[in-house]
Amino acid sequence: MSQPDTEVLEALSAAFSTLFGGRPDGVWAAPGRVNLMGEHTDYNEGFVLPFALENSARVAVTLRPTGPARLRAASLQGADPAGTGQAALAGEIAEVDLTDLHPAGVAPWARYLAGVMWALQQRGHPVPGLDILLDSDVPSGAGLSSSAAIECAVALALDELLEIGIEREELVLVCQQAENDFVGAPTGILDQSASLLGTSGHALFLDCRSRVSRQVPLDLVAESLVLLVIDTRVVHAHESGGYKDLVAACARGAAGLGVAALRDVGPERLPEAAEVLDAPTFSRVRHIVTENQRVLETVAALEAEGPRTIGALLNASHASMRDDFGISCVELDAAVEAAQQAGALGARMTGGGFGGSAIALVDAAAAQTVGDAVRERFAADGYGSPEIFAVLPGAGARRRDGRA
């Protein structure tokens, strides 16, 4: 691991020792993700194409024979300017009764951790007392799946420490159950799959019905390309807002067309759908149908010709999310338009919508120009300053303390 990684992991272990008295049994990390293509298709049993980020959530964990789960969050990024070796600790310790786990009894931030413990218990795997210290550099609310990163890090840690032996594809479902049924966010398996199954230099092509996946080459460096993430700083939350309404609209569309899921509706059925569905529901259906097709076309383009050929597909995806699915916002539209006008090969919003981030595929030499154009557009429109940074496809969840 790099020296900065080593320093952060050591700081997390040291903070754990100070807080809980003793070194952790181990440290595990799981990345956030960028979704290159395939928005809201996952819970419609369709296709997605995310990749894992280098940004990750990290958990230091120790098991105890009995007692509650004691959970604490830390902030290690830039938190130690004096070189004291001390992490900045956030809030009080959240004590969770593992014999009577329910969301109302857990602080909102801790539900992503406790939900994994609950989901394991639902599968017949007892969870003893434990201590967890969490740190993450995945931006929260930016559409980069900070919540799934936390869930996957905890799931991988507990699977190893409890010697359960769950395959990663099944751990995806454990984390999805935690998010759906404990946190209360009706998400599909996209985020957790990217975090647990991603590999460096690749995107993950995932069939959300069969759960079969394969790695698709996404070597941006070799093509002198950069993928910019433009975090609008407009925060969204899957467990509230319009996300549940969209899930319901898709279910109505599937029922109206007599199919189990919108995955079963091809482009050839769109004229029929326009006749039998109300206009708002049809618009939602049209996005899912065309987005599934864009995922397939993006995979084919990447495998045959490389990432320089997918710009138009990125642009078309954003237009569909803006016009048909209604999940963009003025800040996301401004980010995409400014990037396109400044020379990006393609740009789209990414994530659940209603805020969060956009992505722009640009020549590495033009990254600064595109970033400056987006900042200037935000300033001119009176929006808050966005955070813009480059990302590469990173590795999936793994133990990070050098003992495995």
Side-chain angles (χ1 to χ4, degrees), residues 114-387:
V116 173
M117 303 169 203
W118 173 84
L120 288 172
Q121 290 177 340
Q122 297 300 301
R123 286 167 162 73
H125 304 296
V127 179
L130 72 160
D131 299 327
I132 299 181
L133 182 59
L134 163 71
D135 172 55
S136 179
D137 60 10
V138 183
S140 177
L144 303 179
S145 198
S146 58
S147 59
I150 294 170
E151 294 157 358
C152 292
V154 173
L156 198 64
L158 293 182
D159 178 67
E160 181 175 335
L161 289 173
L162 298 173
E163 299 181 345
I164 301 173
I166 302 175
E167 295 293 331
R168 290 201 174 208
E169 289 78 5
E170 187 67 19
L171 279 180
V172 167
L173 300 183
V174 171
C175 295
Q176 184 198 20
Q177 184 181 12
E179 183 123 358
N180 287 179
D181 299 336
F182 198 85
V183 177
T187 60
I189 61 172
L190 185 161
D191 299 342
Q192 295 86 357
S193 296
S195 188
L196 284 163
L197 306 177
T199 62
S200 183
H202 293 79
L204 182 76
F205 175 42
L206 174 65
D207 181 334
C208 294
R209 170 170 285 172
S210 68
R211 295 193 286 127
V212 171
S213 65
R214 76 170 186 266
Q215 306 295 329
V216 177
L218 186 61
D219 192 346
L220 301 177
V221 174
E223 294 289 332
S224 299
L225 293 173
V226 167
L227 193 75
L228 294 180
V229 171
I230 305 164
D231 181 359
T232 66
R233 306 291 187 92
V234 178
V235 176
H236 72 171
H238 280 172
E239 66 271 22
S240 60
Y243 197 97
K244 293 180 180 179
D245 293 337
L246 292 167
V247 174
C250 291
R252 287 196 304 273
L257 293 170
V259 295
L262 292 181
R263 152 71 173 273
D264 298 312
V265 181
E268 73 282 353
R269 290 198 65 185
L270 286 177
E272 173 196 351
E275 292 292 328
V276 301
L277 301 175
D278 62 82
T281 302
F282 170 69
S283 291
R284 307 307 188 237
V285 169
R286 181 166 56 188
H287 166 72
I288 298 301
V289 172
T290 58
E291 188 80 346
N292 273 323
Q293 187 62 32
R294 280 187 289 271
V295 173
L296 299 177
E297 292 175 7
T298 301
V299 170
L302 288 173
E303 292 182 330
E305 302 175 87
R308 285 190 171 274
T309 62
I310 67 170
L313 291 163
L314 297 175
N315 293 337
S317 177
H318 184 77
S320 181
M321 289 185 282
R322 180 192 64 212
D323 300 336
D324 278 349
F325 218 58
I327 57 174
S328 191
C329 63
V330 292
E331 293 89 349
L332 284 168
D333 291 342
V336 168
E337 291 168 6
Q340 291 167 339
Q341 292 166 4
L345 279 67
R348 67 188 286 271
M349 60 150 284
T350 188
F354 311 106
S357 297
I359 55 174
L361 185 64
V362 305
D363 281 296
Q368 186 66 47
T369 299
V370 173
D372 288 344
V374 173
R375 294 184 188 93
E376 291 169 4
R377 172 67 180 271
F378 271 51
D381 288 355
Y383 306 143
S385 179
E387 182 177 359

